[in-house]
Amino acid sequence: MKKNIRYEEAVHRLEEIVEKMENDELDVDSLSDKLKEAQQLIKLCKDKLTKTDENIKKLLNIEKK
């Protein structure tokens, strides 16, 4: 998985993985790999959201001064 993936791409990829899981399209080996990928994607999304939230708070603080 590429590290510089955009948030929207990561969410789309997660949706694809969930859909395959719900439709029983993954064998046991693939399921394990997809779960690991999903974990990485979730962490990436959380990190991006946290960073964006911090940036917004900084900008709002600057505007208040």
Side-chain angles (χ1 to χ4, degrees):
M1 183 181 78
K2 48 185 183 172
K3 296 261 184 196
N4 59 349
I5 188 171
R6 295 180 49 82
Y7 178 83
E8 293 81 8
E9 292 175 69
V11 169
H12 179 70
R13 186 71 191 120
L14 276 168
E15 289 170 345
E16 289 176 345
I17 292 170
V18 169
E19 184 177 330
K20 286 182 180 184
M21 291 171 70
E22 289 177 341
N23 294 329
D24 294 324
E25 295 178 25
L26 301 171
D27 60 26
V28 173
D29 294 323
S30 296
L31 180 61
S32 177
D33 291 339
K34 295 301 177 193
L35 284 173
K36 288 177 186 174
E37 181 181 355
Q39 281 183 311
Q40 293 172 341
L41 289 166
I42 290 168
K43 182 182 181 328
L44 183 139
C45 288
K46 285 175 69 174
D47 290 347
K48 286 185 181 277
L49 288 173
T50 300
K51 184 176 179 181
T52 300
D53 185 54
E54 290 170 357
N55 288 339
I56 290 170
K57 286 178 181 174
K58 285 179 189 175
L59 289 171
L60 292 175
N61 255 351
I62 291 171
E63 288 182 9
K64 288 181 183 178
K65 293 180 181 180

